[in-house]
mmCIF file of all heavy atoms in Angstrom:
data_model
loop_
_atom_site.group_PDB
_atom_site.id
_atom_site.type_symbol
_atom_site.label_atom_id
_atom_site.label_comp_id
_atom_site.label_asym_id
_atom_site.label_seq_id
_atom_site.Cartn_x
_atom_site.Cartn_y
_atom_site.Cartn_z
ATOM 1 N N ARG H 108 103.582 -69.481 89.377
ATOM 2 C CA ARG H 108 103.311 -70.054 88.049
ATOM 3 C C ARG H 108 101.961 -70.756 87.992
ATOM 4 O O ARG H 108 101.515 -71.142 86.914
ATOM 5 C CB ARG H 108 104.407 -71.061 87.680
ATOM 6 C CG ARG H 108 105.768 -70.439 87.393
ATOM 7 C CD ARG H 108 106.798 -71.521 87.094
ATOM 8 N NE ARG H 108 106.386 -72.385 86.009
ATOM 9 C CZ ARG H 108 106.623 -72.164 84.714
ATOM 10 N NH1 ARG H 108 107.292 -71.081 84.366
ATOM 11 N NH2 ARG H 108 106.228 -72.999 83.791
ATOM 12 N N GLY H 109 101.331 -70.956 89.132
ATOM 13 C CA GLY H 109 100.042 -71.637 89.156
ATOM 14 C C GLY H 109 100.144 -73.140 89.058
ATOM 15 O O GLY H 109 99.142 -73.807 88.761
ATOM 16 N N ASP H 110 101.318 -73.704 89.315
ATOM 17 C CA ASP H 110 101.518 -75.147 89.189
ATOM 18 C C ASP H 110 101.247 -75.860 90.505
ATOM 19 O O ASP H 110 101.210 -75.243 91.576
ATOM 20 C CB ASP H 110 102.952 -75.444 88.752
ATOM 21 C CG ASP H 110 103.263 -74.914 87.363
ATOM 22 O OD1 ASP H 110 102.311 -74.724 86.580
ATOM 23 O OD2 ASP H 110 104.442 -74.687 87.060
ATOM 24 N N ALA H 111 101.069 -77.178 90.425
ATOM 25 C CA ALA H 111 100.997 -78.015 91.619
ATOM 26 C C ALA H 111 102.419 -78.288 92.102
ATOM 27 O O ALA H 111 103.388 -78.158 91.351
ATOM 28 C CB ALA H 111 100.275 -79.319 91.318
ATOM 29 N N ALA H 112 102.538 -78.674 93.373
ATOM 30 C CA ALA H 112 103.855 -78.872 93.968
ATOM 31 C C ALA H 112 103.911 -80.199 94.710
ATOM 32 O O ALA H 112 102.901 -80.688 95.227
ATOM 33 C CB ALA H 112 104.188 -77.733 94.926
ATOM 34 N N VAL H 113 105.108 -80.760 94.762
ATOM 35 C CA VAL H 113 105.376 -81.978 95.532
ATOM 36 C C VAL H 113 106.556 -81.707 96.445
ATOM 37 O O VAL H 113 107.598 -81.217 95.993
ATOM 38 C CB VAL H 113 105.687 -83.181 94.609
ATOM 39 C CG1 VAL H 113 106.051 -84.403 95.443
ATOM 40 C CG2 VAL H 113 104.515 -83.485 93.695
ATOM 41 N N VAL H 114 106.397 -82.025 97.724
ATOM 42 C CA VAL H 114 107.497 -81.964 98.688
ATOM 43 C C VAL H 114 107.816 -83.393 99.103
ATOM 44 O O VAL H 114 106.955 -84.093 99.641
ATOM 45 C CB VAL H 114 107.128 -81.118 99.920
ATOM 46 C CG1 VAL H 114 108.257 -81.174 100.957
ATOM 47 C CG2 VAL H 114 106.847 -79.678 99.520
ATOM 48 N N GLU H 115 109.022 -83.839 98.830
ATOM 49 C CA GLU H 115 109.435 -85.210 99.128
ATOM 50 C C GLU H 115 110.609 -85.201 100.097
ATOM 51 O O GLU H 115 111.555 -84.424 99.939
ATOM 52 C CB GLU H 115 109.845 -85.926 97.848
ATOM 53 C CG GLU H 115 110.309 -87.364 98.068
ATOM 54 C CD GLU H 115 110.809 -88.018 96.789
ATOM 55 O OE1 GLU H 115 110.853 -87.347 95.741
ATOM 56 O OE2 GLU H 115 111.172 -89.200 96.857
ATOM 57 N N CYS H 116 110.531 -86.049 101.101
ATOM 58 C CA CYS H 116 111.628 -86.193 102.054
ATOM 59 C C CYS H 116 111.715 -87.657 102.444
ATOM 60 O O CYS H 116 110.733 -88.241 102.907
ATOM 61 C CB CYS H 116 111.389 -85.306 103.277
ATOM 62 S SG CYS H 116 112.722 -85.325 104.491
ATOM 63 N N ARG H 117 112.882 -88.260 102.263
ATOM 64 C CA ARG H 117 113.028 -89.687 102.571
ATOM 65 C C ARG H 117 114.494 -90.002 102.843
ATOM 66 O O ARG H 117 115.394 -89.246 102.460
ATOM 67 C CB ARG H 117 112.511 -90.549 101.429
ATOM 68 C CG ARG H 117 113.209 -90.320 100.091
ATOM 69 C CD ARG H 117 112.605 -91.181 99.006
ATOM 70 N NE ARG H 117 113.116 -90.864 97.685
ATOM 71 C CZ ARG H 117 114.232 -91.328 97.161
ATOM 72 N NH1 ARG H 117 114.993 -92.163 97.867
ATOM 73 N NH2 ARG H 117 114.616 -90.987 95.947
ATOM 74 N N ARG H 118 114.692 -91.116 103.515
ATOM 75 C CA ARG H 118 116.056 -91.561 103.768
ATOM 76 C C ARG H 118 116.661 -92.106 102.472
ATOM 77 O O ARG H 118 116.010 -92.827 101.709
ATOM 78 C CB ARG H 118 116.076 -92.645 104.844
ATOM 79 C CG ARG H 118 117.487 -93.064 105.256
ATOM 80 C CD ARG H 118 117.447 -94.110 106.357
ATOM 81 N NE ARG H 118 116.985 -93.555 107.619
ATOM 82 C CZ ARG H 118 117.785 -92.947 108.493
ATOM 83 N NH1 ARG H 118 119.083 -92.804 108.229
ATOM 84 N NH2 ARG H 118 117.306 -92.481 109.618
ATOM 85 N N GLN H 119 117.902 -91.739 102.245
ATOM 86 C CA GLN H 119 118.655 -92.266 101.100
ATOM 87 C C GLN H 119 120.072 -92.568 101.572
ATOM 88 O O GLN H 119 120.845 -91.662 101.854
ATOM 89 C CB GLN H 119 118.680 -91.282 99.932
ATOM 90 C CG GLN H 119 119.340 -91.857 98.684
ATOM 91 C CD GLN H 119 119.345 -90.870 97.544
ATOM 92 O OE1 GLN H 119 120.092 -89.919 97.555
ATOM 93 N NE2 GLN H 119 118.507 -91.108 96.553
ATOM 94 N N GLY H 120 120.377 -93.851 101.685
ATOM 95 C CA GLY H 120 121.681 -94.245 102.194
ATOM 96 C C GLY H 120 121.858 -93.803 103.636
ATOM 97 O O GLY H 120 120.999 -94.035 104.484
ATOM 98 N N GLU H 121 122.944 -93.108 103.913
ATOM 99 C CA GLU H 121 123.227 -92.603 105.249
ATOM 100 C C GLU H 121 122.730 -91.173 105.458
ATOM 101 O O GLU H 121 123.143 -90.505 106.402
ATOM 102 C CB GLU H 121 124.736 -92.660 105.519
ATOM 103 C CG GLU H 121 125.308 -94.060 105.493
ATOM 104 C CD GLU H 121 124.668 -94.946 106.559
ATOM 105 O OE1 GLU H 121 124.517 -94.487 107.699
ATOM 106 O OE2 GLU H 121 124.338 -96.107 106.237
ATOM 107 N N GLY H 122 121.847 -90.743 104.588
ATOM 108 C CA GLY H 122 121.370 -89.366 104.686
ATOM 109 C C GLY H 122 119.907 -89.229 104.344
ATOM 110 O O GLY H 122 119.160 -90.199 104.281
ATOM 111 N N VAL H 123 119.516 -87.987 104.114
ATOM 112 C CA VAL H 123 118.126 -87.632 103.827
ATOM 113 C C VAL H 123 118.085 -86.896 102.495
ATOM 114 O O VAL H 123 118.864 -85.957 102.262
ATOM 115 C CB VAL H 123 117.556 -86.733 104.943
ATOM 116 C CG1 VAL H 123 116.164 -86.231 104.573
ATOM 117 C CG2 VAL H 123 117.514 -87.487 106.262
ATOM 118 N N LEU H 124 117.184 -87.322 101.625
ATOM 119 C CA LEU H 124 116.970 -86.637 100.354
ATOM 120 C C LEU H 124 115.734 -85.766 100.478
ATOM 121 O O LEU H 124 114.641 -86.254 100.804
ATOM 122 C CB LEU H 124 116.785 -87.640 99.220
ATOM 123 C CG LEU H 124 116.473 -87.030 97.841
ATOM 124 C CD1 LEU H 124 117.665 -86.217 97.340
ATOM 125 C CD2 LEU H 124 116.087 -88.111 96.839
ATOM 126 N N LEU H 125 115.887 -84.485 100.231
ATOM 127 C CA LEU H 125 114.782 -83.522 100.235
ATOM 128 C C LEU H 125 114.647 -82.965 98.837
ATOM 129 O O LEU H 125 115.630 -82.534 98.230
ATOM 130 C CB LEU H 125 115.071 -82.396 101.234
ATOM 131 C CG LEU H 125 114.151 -81.176 101.184
ATOM 132 C CD1 LEU H 125 112.716 -81.564 101.494
ATOM 133 C CD2 LEU H 125 114.650 -80.100 102.147
ATOM 134 N N CYS H 126 113.430 -82.965 98.315
ATOM 135 C CA CYS H 126 113.207 -82.513 96.949
ATOM 136 C C CYS H 126 111.870 -81.778 96.859
ATOM 137 O O CYS H 126 110.870 -82.246 97.411
ATOM 138 C CB CYS H 126 113.227 -83.705 95.991
ATOM 139 S SG CYS H 126 113.077 -83.252 94.247
ATOM 140 N N VAL H 127 111.863 -80.646 96.194
ATOM 141 C CA VAL H 127 110.630 -79.926 95.884
ATOM 142 C C VAL H 127 110.456 -79.951 94.378
ATOM 143 O O VAL H 127 111.339 -79.503 93.635
ATOM 144 C CB VAL H 127 110.680 -78.476 96.402
ATOM 145 C CG1 VAL H 127 109.402 -77.730 96.001
ATOM 146 C CG2 VAL H 127 110.844 -78.443 97.910
ATOM 147 N N ARG H 128 109.332 -80.481 93.934
ATOM 148 C CA ARG H 128 109.052 -80.614 92.509
ATOM 149 C C ARG H 128 107.909 -79.687 92.107
ATOM 150 O O ARG H 128 106.988 -79.459 92.871
ATOM 151 C CB ARG H 128 108.669 -82.062 92.174
ATOM 152 C CG ARG H 128 109.699 -83.092 92.590
ATOM 153 C CD ARG H 128 109.232 -84.507 92.254
ATOM 154 N NE ARG H 128 110.116 -85.510 92.809
ATOM 155 C CZ ARG H 128 111.240 -85.922 92.218
ATOM 156 N NH1 ARG H 128 111.576 -85.418 91.044
ATOM 157 N NH2 ARG H 128 112.005 -86.826 92.795
#
Side-chain angles (χ1 to χ4, degrees):
R108 290 178 56 88
D110 295 337
V113 176
V114 175
E115 179 184 3
C116 183
R117 59 182 172 84
R118 186 178 290 275
Q119 186 180 73
E121 298 299 315
V123 174
L124 177 66
L125 169 62
C126 184
V127 177
R128 304 179 188 276

